[in-house]
Each structure stands twice: as C-alpha cells, then as structure tokens.
Amino acid sequence: MIDTDELAKRNTRFADGGSFSGLKLMQGSLTVIGCVDPRVDPTDVLGLELGEAAVIRNVGGRVTPATLATLEMLAKVVHARTGGPGPRDNHYAVLHHTDCGITDLAAFPTC
C-alpha cells in the first residue's frame, strides 16, 4: 500500500515538473467514461497524453444519471471559461473491459 508521504512526494514531483503548464481546460474534445478498476486506466489503455481527454470513472464505466450530471457541469465550466465548446461539440467514448467486477452485482439486484 502506498502511504501518504509517498503520495505527497509524487504530487510534488508532478507539480514541480510543470507538465500541465500551458494546457487549457478541455483543450481536446474527447471525454472518456471508464471503469474504476485500477487494472484498466483509460489513459493507459487508449494511450492518451495529459490534456487530451477528460476521464470520468465509475463502477462498471456506466453512463448513469450522476455521469450525465457531471458531463453537464463540465460543459458549463468549459463554457464559462472559454465561451465554448458545448456538449454537442465533444466526442464521447465509453470504455468497458473484460473481467469487470460489476458483473458480480447480478447477485445483488437492489444495488
């Protein structure tokens, strides 16, 4: 398990590296919706570079009401900051994977 000191060190390296400087909010037009499973990081699976896409992760990579609310809020943030683009100007990818744990929820239909 990674402890908080190590996480803080990694965060400092990231911040000091400036890899995000110059990147605009939502400079790309892609939003990926994927699973929280740490074995399938959408940025790694799709070979995305920092700033190329917004990534939303939830259990099973599902488009839920909460996901739609997040997309709407993100569109408003982008519009407030840049005057555009709107949600219709974006591309969306829903990334599923094999051996997803959400299939285990079939035994719990009320979840």
Side-chain angles (χ1 to χ4, degrees):
M1 178 156 185
I2 302 170
D3 64 29
T4 54
D5 290 336
E6 177 60 25
L7 292 175
K9 287 177 191 174
R10 292 178 185 188
N11 178 260
T12 299
R13 280 195 305 270
F14 175 79
D16 290 346
S19 58
F20 55 89
S21 65
L23 291 179
K24 295 178 181 170
L25 178 68
M26 290 298 293
Q27 71 179 21
S29 61
L30 174 63
T31 299
V32 179
I33 301 162
C35 186
V36 297
D37 188 324
R39 300 172 298 170
V40 286
D41 183 340
T43 57
D44 189 49
V45 171
L46 300 175
L48 298 170
E49 298 294 328
L50 191 62
E52 281 190 302
V55 177
I56 299 169
R57 295 176 76 171
N58 61 37
V59 176
R62 299 299 193 238
V63 179
T64 64
T67 306
L68 294 174
T70 297
L71 290 170
E72 182 179 2
M73 194 178 334
L74 180 58
K76 288 178 181 178
V77 167
V78 171
H79 185 72
R81 176 145 325 165
T82 67
R88 296 190 199 306
D89 300 318
N90 207 6
H91 298 279
Y92 301 92
V94 179
L95 181 65
H96 291 161
H97 65 97
T98 56
D99 193 31
C100 184
I102 199 168
T103 59
D104 296 332
L105 294 181
F108 303 95
T110 59
C111 287

